[in-house]
Amino acid sequence: MRGKSKWSLVLVLVLALSMVLSACGSSKKSDNKSSSDKGSSSADSNYTQVINFATTEDIPTLDTAVANDQVSFQVAGQVYEGLYTIDDNNNLVPALAVGDPTITKDSAGNSVYTFKLQPNAKWSNGDPVTAKDFVYAWQDVVNPKTKNVTYSYLFPTLGVLNSEDIMAGKKPVTDLGVKAVDDHTLQVTLTHQVPFYKSLFAMATFYPKDQKFVEAQGKDYGLSADKAVYNGPYVLSSWQLGAGWTYKKNPNYWDAKDVQVSQINEKVVKDEQAQINLYNGGQIDAVVLTGDYVNKYKSSPEFHQTLGTSVYYLKFNEQNKYLKNPDIRKAISMAWDRQPFLSKLVNDGSIDATGLVPKGFYKTQDGQDFREENGSLQDYDLAQAKKYWKKGLKELGVSKINLEILAYDTDTYKNEISYIQDQLQTNLPGLTVSVNQQEFKVMLDKESSMKYDIVTAGWGPDYQDPMTFLDMFTTGNGNNQMGYSNKQYDALIKDAQNTTDLKKRDQDMLDAEKILIQQDGALGLMYQQGGATLVKPYLVNFKLHPFGFDYSYKYMSVKKH
């Protein structure tokens, strides 16, 4: 997102952590520590439980078909619900699905997953949630006529029958391998079995939609709180652009009895010091710390720090005549020292990223950590960077290059991106780097339309498999957004998606990552995200998810204080 979602497609360190805040966190995640012990007994059932947070950015959209950023996915995870969700122990558990599906084979050898749905599930307007809502929503995502969709590629990744041909305009959306057998029976046909299908079915991209309501709103659907209808633990009761939003417990939610917090208030506050002041004044219940603030507060009993699974990097727009050259890309990636950046500026527990797939995220069939097995694919190496730079300039027939970095618009981030700017201009003769700082939604728009030279970006895993990081850089993928294309890379990803040999699948993904980072220098690695936060001790059961949306408010509670 984390992917969830994301993930966020834009590097927003403060946003990534302060969006909803856990005891400690990054966008995808940690050791599952919480700010206080789990247990509803620790919260007073007669006490009206309210949580207050600060976030650095607004919600880009409430439409799950087009959501492609961390904020939208996090909000969607609270106000909507799909077949599965992530519980308070980071387990994938049935949500709208009643138990796991029955799996059979059809005459063509495809796998048919049959789900029974919660019979009492309702939308917040009282409409029943039915199997047809899933069919409508999924067809909308893969429909090539639907604008601004970036996650449709997950349907072929999952192997949903006919999804690839539908997206290519070769078949109608009605041929998609999803069927409403009756109101409470959903049938999904996959061309191959996927071990991480539950992770995908917990993603917002696979959530249902109330067709009658959506079509009544037209182009305004998802643009304001009253232009969306909800089937999750919470509803968005208000949303003031640029100011914040409020969640309230959804009385129509099928499992409302297990939702303890009545209201969550999100205030948009861009300045880190302002957020800390609100925290110290008791007006918000958690705050993210970076840089010198970590040193100032690390001895506090309310301080928490962890390493997550989001990875951040520089994306290069290969439509740019200079960045099309792989030697120029490699030079930029290797010419700035990440250690002072991490220890002095970020200073939150983040570590140097040595590959796209993070450390501690996935073990291969041989029991090895994927990151350790593939080794370090890109490091700070000024001597080598200068060699690549000299070679690239010669190939291009130029002696000077001007490039712009698109970056996030906080003061904290200004210091961080200025460091990279200074390092690159100092270490690569003839390079001039300008910085264009923009608010979150503008960054997303510029990135998706490829109106940038270099953009700071990141990815939090949508599901617990390296493919969540790798398949988005195949040719034409909706999340590629940098013009990268390598036929060998595409072939390895396709083979990994279709093979039943899991060891071969691992090797295909290992080889693909080497091509992307080491051979082509398609991305300039930055870091694997950590997180430093202050969290009030009365917050119960804050837990950061290792994939998907970041936190589940459904399982949180507040001690009387």
Side-chain angles (χ1 to χ4, degrees), residues 63-135:
D63 185 348
T64 55
V66 301
N68 67 358
D69 64 278
Q70 186 179 12
V71 183
S72 298
F73 275 115
Q74 173 58 32
V75 174
Q78 319 311 316
V79 299
Y80 304 123
E81 194 169 65
L83 294 171
Y84 286 85
T85 192
I86 309 170
D87 72 7
D88 52 341
N89 290 313
N90 285 330
N91 296 314
L92 286 158
V93 295
L96 289 180
V98 179
D100 292 333
T102 59
I103 304 174
T104 57
K105 292 285 187 179
D106 65 12
S107 59
N110 298 310
S111 298
V112 180
Y113 292 64
T114 302
F115 296 89
K116 291 294 183 181
L117 304 183
Q118 293 288 348
N120 299 321
K122 293 182 179 179
W123 294 98
S124 53
N125 63 359
D127 290 345
V129 178
T130 70
K132 292 179 181 178
D133 295 334
F134 283 94
V135 175

Side-chain angles (χ1 to χ4, degrees), residues 283-312:
Q283 296 180 60
I284 60 175
D285 300 323
V287 67
V288 171
L289 303 175
T290 61
D292 291 339
Y293 293 115
V294 174
N295 298 327
K296 181 177 181 179
Y297 289 100
K298 65 183 179 182
S299 61
S300 168
E302 297 175 4
F303 177 84
H304 303 268
Q305 191 170 43
T306 191
L307 178 66
T309 55
S310 289
V311 175
Y312 294 89

Side-chain angles (χ1 to χ4, degrees), residues 68 83 141 202 273 275 306 371 415 438 514 534 542 546:
N68 67 358
L83 294 171
V141 174
Q273 181 62 65
Q275 287 197 9
T306 191
R371 179 72 280 119
N415 295 330
Q438 295 288 343
K514 285 182 178 177
L534 294 174
F542 267 54

Side-chain angles (χ1 to χ4, degrees), residues 138-149:
W138 293 13
Q139 289 180 350
D140 185 43
V141 174
V142 300
N143 190 338
K145 294 181 181 179
T146 304
K147 296 180 179 179
N148 302 318
V149 175

Side-chain angles (χ1 to χ4, degrees), residues 48-344:
T48 300
Q49 299 179 38
V50 177
I51 299 175
N52 296 290
F53 291 122
T55 174
T56 57
E57 280 306 327
D58 217 327
I59 307 168
T61 183
L62 293 171
D63 185 348
T64 55
V66 301
N68 67 358
D69 64 278
Q70 186 179 12
V71 183
S72 298
F73 275 115
Q74 173 58 32
V75 174
Q78 319 311 316
V79 299
Y80 304 123
E81 194 169 65
L83 294 171
Y84 286 85
T85 192
I86 309 170
D87 72 7
D88 52 341
N89 290 313
N90 285 330
N91 296 314
L92 286 158
V93 295
L96 289 180
V98 179
D100 292 333
T102 59
I103 304 174
T104 57
K105 292 285 187 179
D106 65 12
S107 59
N110 298 310
S111 298
V112 180
Y113 292 64
T114 302
F115 296 89
K116 291 294 183 181
L117 304 183
Q118 293 288 348
N120 299 321
K122 293 182 179 179
W123 294 98
S124 53
N125 63 359
D127 290 345
V129 178
T130 70
K132 292 179 181 178
D133 295 334
F134 283 94
V135 175
Y136 169 71
W138 293 13
Q139 289 180 350
D140 185 43
V141 174
V142 300
N143 190 338
K145 294 181 181 179
T146 304
K147 296 180 179 179
N148 302 318
V149 175
T150 56
Y151 267 102
S152 56
Y153 71 91
L154 288 178
F155 283 78
T157 295
L158 183 59
V160 180
L161 185 65
N162 295 325
S163 56
E164 195 164 5
D165 284 342
I166 293 168
M167 291 161 55
K170 297 177 181 179
K171 290 185 178 181
V173 294
T174 51
D175 283 355
L176 187 67
V178 58
K179 176 183 178 182
V181 178
D182 56 44
D183 281 353
H184 299 114
T185 306
L186 181 71
Q187 199 171 81
V188 183
T189 301
L190 307 183
T191 56
H192 55 274
Q193 291 194 29
V194 176
F196 48 83
Y197 78 90
K198 292 181 182 179
S199 298
L200 289 178
F201 287 155
M203 280 188 63
T205 309
F206 292 88
Y207 289 172
K209 283 183 176 180
D210 185 347
Q211 181 175 1
K212 182 177 67 175
F213 181 90
V214 172
E215 292 181 348
Q217 309 313 309
K219 294 181 179 179
D220 292 334
Y221 173 71
L223 297 182
S224 62
D226 63 340
K227 297 298 182 181
V229 64
Y230 314 102
N231 73 324
Y234 292 92
V235 301
L236 210 62
S237 63
S238 66
W239 174 18
Q240 293 181 305
L241 290 175
W245 59 92
T246 298
Y247 302 93
K248 287 189 177 179
K249 182 175 177 179
N250 182 1
N252 280 346
Y253 179 54
W254 67 273
D255 196 27
K257 67 182 187 306
D258 288 335
V259 180
Q260 298 185 58
V261 176
S262 298
Q263 182 171 316
I264 301 120
N265 302 309
E266 292 272 4
K267 179 183 292 187
V268 176
V269 182
K270 289 182 177 291
D271 182 71
E272 185 175 9
Q273 181 62 65
Q275 287 197 9
I276 292 171
N277 292 342
L278 290 172
Y279 180 86
N280 288 333
Q283 296 180 60
I284 60 175
D285 300 323
V287 67
V288 171
L289 303 175
T290 61
D292 291 339
Y293 293 115
V294 174
N295 298 327
K296 181 177 181 179
Y297 289 100
K298 65 183 179 182
S299 61
S300 168
E302 297 175 4
F303 177 84
H304 303 268
Q305 191 170 43
T306 191
L307 178 66
T309 55
S310 289
V311 175
Y312 294 89
Y313 41 79
L314 300 175
K315 288 176 69 173
F316 303 112
N317 185 346
E318 295 190 24
Q319 291 181 351
N320 180 290
K321 62 182 179 180
Y322 304 123
L323 296 174
K324 190 176 183 64
N325 185 290
D327 292 312
I328 296 296
R329 299 195 300 267
K330 291 177 187 178
I332 293 171
S333 299
M334 300 172 71
W336 65 282
D337 190 349
R338 298 190 287 246
Q339 290 306 322
F341 175 84
L342 293 173
S343 63
K344 296 178 181 179

Side-chain angles (χ1 to χ4, degrees), residues 237-466:
S237 63
S238 66
W239 174 18
Q240 293 181 305
L241 290 175
W245 59 92
T246 298
Y247 302 93
K248 287 189 177 179
K249 182 175 177 179
N250 182 1
N252 280 346
Y253 179 54
W254 67 273
D255 196 27
K257 67 182 187 306
D258 288 335
V259 180
Q260 298 185 58
V261 176
S262 298
Q263 182 171 316
I264 301 120
N265 302 309
E266 292 272 4
K267 179 183 292 187
V268 176
V269 182
K270 289 182 177 291
D271 182 71
E272 185 175 9
Q273 181 62 65
Q275 287 197 9
I276 292 171
N277 292 342
L278 290 172
Y279 180 86
N280 288 333
Q283 296 180 60
I284 60 175
D285 300 323
V287 67
V288 171
L289 303 175
T290 61
D292 291 339
Y293 293 115
V294 174
N295 298 327
K296 181 177 181 179
Y297 289 100
K298 65 183 179 182
S299 61
S300 168
E302 297 175 4
F303 177 84
H304 303 268
Q305 191 170 43
T306 191
L307 178 66
T309 55
S310 289
V311 175
Y312 294 89
Y313 41 79
L314 300 175
K315 288 176 69 173
F316 303 112
N317 185 346
E318 295 190 24
Q319 291 181 351
N320 180 290
K321 62 182 179 180
Y322 304 123
L323 296 174
K324 190 176 183 64
N325 185 290
D327 292 312
I328 296 296
R329 299 195 300 267
K330 291 177 187 178
I332 293 171
S333 299
M334 300 172 71
W336 65 282
D337 190 349
R338 298 190 287 246
Q339 290 306 322
F341 175 84
L342 293 173
S343 63
K344 296 178 181 179
L345 293 174
V346 179
N347 192 28
D348 66 350
S350 296
I351 63 172
D352 192 1
T354 57
L356 181 59
V357 178
K359 175 182 177 181
F361 175 66
Y362 174 83
K363 289 187 180 297
T364 66
Q365 297 302 304
D366 294 330
Q368 299 296 310
D369 183 87
F370 186 99
R371 179 72 280 119
E372 292 181 4
E373 185 164 341
N374 229 20
S376 180
L377 304 182
Q378 192 182 88
D379 297 301
Y380 170 63
D381 186 337
L382 185 55
Q384 186 61 51
K386 288 185 174 181
K387 289 180 182 178
Y388 281 131
W389 184 249
K390 184 177 180 180
K391 182 182 176 186
L393 291 179
K394 183 177 180 181
E395 290 169 346
L396 292 167
V398 298
S399 60
K400 296 181 179 180
I401 291 178
N402 295 323
L403 295 171
E404 179 184 85
I405 299 179
L406 178 63
Y408 181 53
D409 70 340
T410 65
D411 289 338
T412 299
Y413 203 62
K414 181 178 181 179
N415 295 330
E416 295 171 4
I417 203 65
S418 293
Y419 170 85
I420 298 174
Q421 178 190 32
D422 180 67
Q423 284 267 298
L424 293 177
Q425 291 186 144
T426 300
N427 293 336
L428 298 177
L431 176 61
T432 300
V433 178
S434 59
V435 175
N436 179 11
Q437 289 189 272
Q438 295 288 343
E439 64 180 33
F440 183 53
K441 192 175 187 307
V442 174
M443 278 194 70
L444 289 177
D445 290 343
K446 284 183 173 294
E447 183 182 12
S448 61
S449 60
M450 294 182 62
K451 295 179 180 178
Y452 69 90
D453 295 336
I454 302 171
V455 62
T456 53
W459 194 258
D462 297 313
Y463 49 95
Q464 203 155 12
D465 188 271

